[in-house]
């Protein structure tokens, strides 16, 4: 566990709730420059040799590659455009760099003019692991909580107290269940997820519960089991008609529904695995 410093412990630190976007961008740029200087992007973007000049990497035109993949201008060079980055821009460039980073493993030393290492062998997996760790440290300082995942997506960090349920293994071998749960959790946590995206995530979990309904009936009281589907069927989750009750705060309601359904699914699957 990281140390909590004095001003944070007593509640007087001016950034208790996290740093503003521009401060986080500055941290990101410094971390990126460190990776660049250590050769973690030499394979992708190339490097400069004091003798031979620019040595191209796998990507000849980084700006073009970003435009084709991210569909955005004014992200690269990072040093030039970082001060105008929006939150979306920062998270886009982080995801892009995660796809390109690779740790230098072996090469030859070019001592002339103190040029340094010319790396020839790289490990993408090791590079991504280290990049993710450093970037998540940076994102951990942001007032809006995100994390870079192993899949290379930046997602919202789960609400406090629910972290374990996202990292817990789904106790099922049924691909239909696993794929639905994974799709729902990713959709719910994705940066920029709309109310409709979150409603669809809850709907997907309700469908999983429908699939597991025989097991639900074994492990829940009849009233509890009916209440689960009453909420899904009559509160604008699974159906769209004039009988639906929708006069509620969707952001709060959908968040509660999502965690309630996800927890119920895990409970039923664990009960089922113990009886099989």
């Amino acid at each position: 566990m990281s140390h909590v410093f004095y001003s944070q412990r007593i509640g007087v630190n001016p950034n208790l709730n996290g740093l503003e976007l521009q401060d986080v961008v500055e941290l990101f740029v410094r971390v990126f420059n460190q990776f660049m200087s250590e050769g973690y992007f030499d394979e992708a973007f190339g490097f400069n040799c004091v003798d031979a000049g620019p040595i191209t990497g796998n990507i000849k035109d980084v700006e073009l590659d970003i435009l084709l993949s991210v569909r955005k201008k004014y992200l690269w060079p990072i040093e030039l455009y970082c001060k105008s980055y929006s939150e979306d821009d920062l998270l886009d460039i982080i995801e892009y760099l995660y796809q390109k980073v690779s740790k230098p493993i072996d090469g030859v030393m070019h001592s002339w003019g103190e040029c340094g290492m010319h790396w020839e062998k790289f490990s993408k997996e090791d590079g991504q692991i280290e990049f993710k760790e450093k970037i998540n440290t940076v994102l951990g300082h942001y007032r809006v909580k995100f994390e870079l995942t192993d899949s290379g997506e930046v997602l919202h960090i789960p609400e406090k107290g629910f972290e374990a349920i996202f990292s817990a293994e789904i106790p099922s071998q049924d691909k239909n269940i696993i794929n639905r749960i994974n799709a729902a959790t990713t959709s719910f946590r994705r940066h920029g997820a709309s109310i409709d995206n979150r409603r669809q995530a809850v709907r997907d979990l309700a469908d999983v519960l429908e699939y597991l309904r025989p097991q639900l009936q074994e492990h829940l009281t009849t009233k509890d089991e009916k209440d689960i589907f009453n909420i899904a069927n009559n509160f604008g989750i699974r159906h769209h008609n004039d009988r639906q009750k929708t006069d509620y705060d969707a952001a709060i309601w959908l968040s509660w529904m999502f965690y309630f359904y996800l927890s119920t699914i895990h409970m039923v699957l664990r009960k089922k695995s113990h009886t099989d």
Side-chain angles (χ1 to χ4, degrees):
M1 182 179 294
S2 61
H3 182 77
V4 179
F5 287 89
Y6 177 78
S7 64
Q8 296 170 327
R9 291 198 307 274
I10 68 171
V12 299
N13 188 292
N15 298 304
L16 275 177
N17 295 322
L19 300 175
E20 294 299 319
L21 176 64
Q22 196 53 52
D23 295 325
V24 175
V25 170
E26 290 177 11
L27 289 177
F28 158 73
V29 172
R30 294 174 70 174
V31 168
F32 167 71
N33 286 338
Q34 187 176 52
F35 275 106
M36 282 286 284
S37 68
E38 294 175 359
Y40 281 68
F41 291 101
D42 285 6
E43 183 179 29
F45 305 147
F47 61 97
N48 193 63
C49 173
V50 298
D51 192 17
I55 307 295
T56 58
N58 294 335
I59 300 170
K60 312 305 180 190
D61 187 334
V62 181
E63 284 185 85
L64 176 61
D65 192 60
I66 291 175
L67 182 58
L68 292 173
S69 55
V70 185
R71 299 181 184 175
K72 279 186 178 181
K73 296 180 179 180
Y74 313 121
L75 294 181
W76 188 274
I78 289 173
E79 291 277 8
L80 180 61
Y81 293 115
C82 63
K83 289 186 178 179
S84 62
Y85 276 4
S86 66
E87 181 180 273
D88 290 344
D89 293 337
L90 173 63
L91 302 183
D92 278 339
I93 199 68
I94 285 173
E95 289 191 0
Y96 176 79
L97 293 173
Y98 182 80
Q99 305 302 321
K100 309 304 177 185
V101 68
S102 55
K103 182 177 182 176
I105 301 298
D106 194 19
V108 295
M109 172 59 73
H110 185 200
S111 58
W112 193 88
E114 298 183 349
C115 183
M117 287 294 295
H118 285 207
W119 298 105
E120 298 173 343
K121 185 178 179 182
F122 300 86
S123 168
K124 191 172 191 67
E125 181 180 0
D126 289 345
Q128 288 181 329
I129 289 171
E130 294 184 27
F131 183 77
K132 180 170 76 76
E133 181 181 353
K134 287 279 191 180
I135 288 298
N136 280 337
T137 299
V138 171
L139 292 176
H141 291 290
Y142 188 28
R143 57 178 177 77
V144 184
K145 300 308 178 187
F146 293 103
E147 65 178 351
L148 178 61
T149 64
D150 291 337
S151 66
E153 280 193 274
V154 176
L155 301 177
H156 281 281
I157 290 179
E159 294 179 37
K160 193 170 184 179
F162 289 96
E163 300 92 344
I165 201 168
F166 287 98
S167 58
E169 183 179 354
I170 299 171
S172 175
Q173 300 299 316
D174 190 324
K175 292 296 184 183
N176 175 52
I177 292 174
I178 293 171
N179 291 340
R180 278 293 185 97
I181 293 174
N182 287 339
T185 54
T186 299
S187 178
F188 191 85
R189 294 178 59 200
R190 183 169 286 132
H191 170 246
S194 65
I195 290 296
D196 284 341
N197 295 143
R198 293 192 162 202
R199 182 177 287 108
Q200 180 60 53
V202 173
R203 187 180 299 128
D204 285 342
L205 294 183
D207 289 345
V208 173
L209 286 168
E210 187 75 63
Y211 185 74
L212 293 170
R213 198 159 192 170
Q215 287 76 41
L216 273 177
Q217 292 168 344
E218 290 179 22
H219 300 296
L220 296 178
T221 66
T222 300
K223 182 179 183 303
D224 289 339
E225 182 256 335
K226 286 183 177 178
D227 284 344
I228 285 174
F229 293 102
N230 174 51
I231 292 169
N233 292 329
N234 295 300
F235 285 80
I237 303 299
R238 301 175 82 182
H239 304 294
H240 183 66
N241 56 55
D242 58 8
R243 297 188 300 276
Q244 298 295 305
K245 302 175 181 67
T246 57
D247 55 339
Y248 52 79
D249 187 323
I252 296 174
W253 174 261
L254 291 173
S255 181
W256 174 77
M257 281 300 307
F258 178 83
Y259 287 113
F260 174 54
Y261 277 9
L262 185 59
S263 300
T264 303
I265 290 169
H266 273 267
M267 180 276 293
V268 171
L269 290 175
R270 278 170 170 72
K271 287 280 191 181
K272 182 176 182 296
S273 67
H274 291 156
T275 57
D276 285 349

